[in-house]
Amino acid sequence: MSHGHTRIESKGSCIYCGERDAPLTDEHVVPFALGGQHVLVGASCRACANITTKFERDVARDMWGDARISYNASSRRKKERATHVTLTDPDNPARRVKVPYKEYPAAMIFYKMGRCGLLEGLPEGVNVSSIWQLVAAHDDVKAKAFEGKFGVKLTSKFRHMPDSFARLIAKIGYCNIFCNLDLGDFRPICLPYILGQKSNPSYIVGGTFEIGDPEQLGYRLSTYGFGLVDRLMLVAEVRLYCHLHTPTYHAVIGDVIGQATIAHVLQKLGNVELLPCGNSPVPVDHHCAPRIWPLPFWRDTMPTLKAG
């Protein structure tokens, strides 16, 4: 995707429910609270915006609240923010230390994940979030300075919210697709999970347990594809707060059926990397590629088409 602030023209209806007659609000691809600079103009009706706002708030406030204040992250209510945090010394619970937020390198809690259930070839009802691992990302230099000055070990508080986090990743990947595509270009497999109509978002959201080196960007969003000549699966890759040691995620966004439609979609997407599969060896070292081929999902949901 492009760098810097970008506004993408409205699709003329809500990208979640298809509503055309209700007022439509702008939708940040990456939430504004997480530093998002890409905006889909007139993309969400109020009812759908209320749904996405709920799980975005779960992550921004309950998982990353202290860290966002510490790093002065974007907020529409900065004037209401607390200026200090009171910490308890884990080695001496009776001791409490009041620390300015600007000197408190609160950790951001992420989940390390393996491939999502769909790419593992698992049934939709199998929840793999139980094997996700918590990892804390923070500024190592700032953390060392903090402990030296205040004489207390760095601790952070957060709420464990795997479903909200996974739905956030799916929503980001889904919105990013609309920087180039339109409604009707693909079948939105991820949509019922984003809207909460289906549970177990670990079926379409996963990642890699390995953490890459920090990058210069605030966030990085990419799109990959794999499939056969008449069926293409679109998978989003999402990495937030790239300047820290953060994990990389994927979300299965949707599929495209038919050679002519696939050619049209690939032209609109531009430089999408296509991962080989089918008759070619599946690159199992790439987290956006399926481990099982042919993909059982297509056999289960499109029985009239051959498995390839």
Side-chain angles (χ1 to χ4, degrees):
M1 75 185 325
S2 60
H3 301 308
H5 188 74
T6 304
R7 294 177 67 83
I8 295 90
E9 184 179 351
S10 176
K11 307 302 177 180
S13 63
C14 176
I15 63 173
Y16 300 106
C17 70
E19 175 65 57
R20 289 182 174 274
D21 298 327
L24 299 176
T25 63
D26 293 350
E27 180 77 278
H28 280 75
V29 176
V30 173
F32 174 77
L34 305 185
Q37 296 292 308
H38 295 74
V39 178
L40 302 178
V41 176
S44 180
C45 71
R46 178 54 58 189
C48 291
N50 288 339
I51 294 173
T52 59
T53 297
K54 172 61 170 63
F55 60 72
E56 288 177 354
R57 186 182 296 125
D58 286 345
V59 175
R61 292 185 182 178
D62 294 337
M63 283 187 63
W64 294 345
D66 282 342
R68 289 181 58 251
I69 298 174
S70 172
Y71 292 103
N72 197 30
S74 301
S75 173
R76 303 187 193 281
R77 298 182 178 86
K78 277 193 175 183
K79 292 183 179 180
E80 301 175 12
R81 281 180 168 172
T83 58
H84 291 71
V85 59
T86 301
L87 305 175
T88 299
D89 187 342
D91 295 330
N92 181 10
R95 178 177 178 239
R96 297 170 68 82
V97 181
K98 189 175 181 180
V99 178
Y101 263 111
K102 63 182 180 181
E103 297 184 73
Y104 173 46
M108 304 195 78
I109 303 301
F110 288 85
Y111 297 97
K112 291 199 297 184
M113 311 174 182
R115 278 183 181 82
C116 66
L118 192 156
L119 296 185
E120 289 283 4
L122 298 173
E124 190 172 7
V126 176
N127 191 327
V128 298
S129 65
S130 61
I131 63 173
W132 293 354
Q133 301 172 5
L134 291 171
V135 60
H138 55 72
D139 185 322
D140 293 336
V141 174
K142 194 173 180 180
K144 186 175 181 180
F146 162 84
E147 293 184 356
K149 179 175 180 177
F150 295 98
V152 61
K153 291 181 180 178
L154 179 62
T155 58
S156 297
K157 65 179 187 293
F158 67 95
R159 288 183 63 191
H160 177 51
M161 311 195 78
D163 280 6
S164 290
F165 186 85
R167 291 170 70 187
L168 170 66
I169 296 299
K171 177 259 179 186
I172 291 172
Y174 180 67
C175 286
N176 186 47
I177 284 286
F178 288 108
C179 292
N180 300 98
L181 299 187
D182 296 299
L183 291 163
D185 283 341
F186 63 99
R187 180 172 59 155
I189 296 167
C190 65
L191 195 51
Y193 298 93
I194 295 172
L195 296 178
Q197 297 163 347
K198 286 187 174 183
S199 58
N200 185 26
S202 73
Y203 183 63
I204 55 103
V205 174
T208 173
F209 283 109
E210 295 77 26
I211 295 181
D213 294 331
E215 304 175 39
Q216 295 297 318
L217 303 174
Y219 53 85
R220 175 172 51 79
L221 311 178
S222 306
T223 303
Y224 290 89
F226 67 83
L228 299 173
V229 67
D230 60 347
R231 276 166 290 171
L232 178 71
M233 186 71 80
L234 299 174
V235 183
E237 185 177 67
V238 177
R239 190 180 189 191
L240 303 174
Y241 294 100
C242 297
H243 61 290
L244 301 174
H245 291 277
T246 57
T248 301
Y249 302 101
H250 61 249
V252 177
I253 303 304
D255 58 0
V256 186
I257 308 300
Q259 295 183 34
T261 307
I262 290 173
H264 177 66
V265 164
L266 290 178
Q267 183 179 28
K268 292 172 75 172
L269 286 174
N271 58 342
V272 171
E273 182 176 348
L274 296 179
L275 304 173
C277 55
N279 294 328
S280 301
V282 177
V284 295
D285 59 334
H286 198 296
H287 68 105
C288 290
R291 191 184 301 276
I292 302 297
W293 189 262
L295 199 66
F297 171 84
W298 277 325
R299 294 201 302 265
D300 296 340
T301 62
M302 306 191 71
T304 60
L305 292 177
K306 295 180 180 179

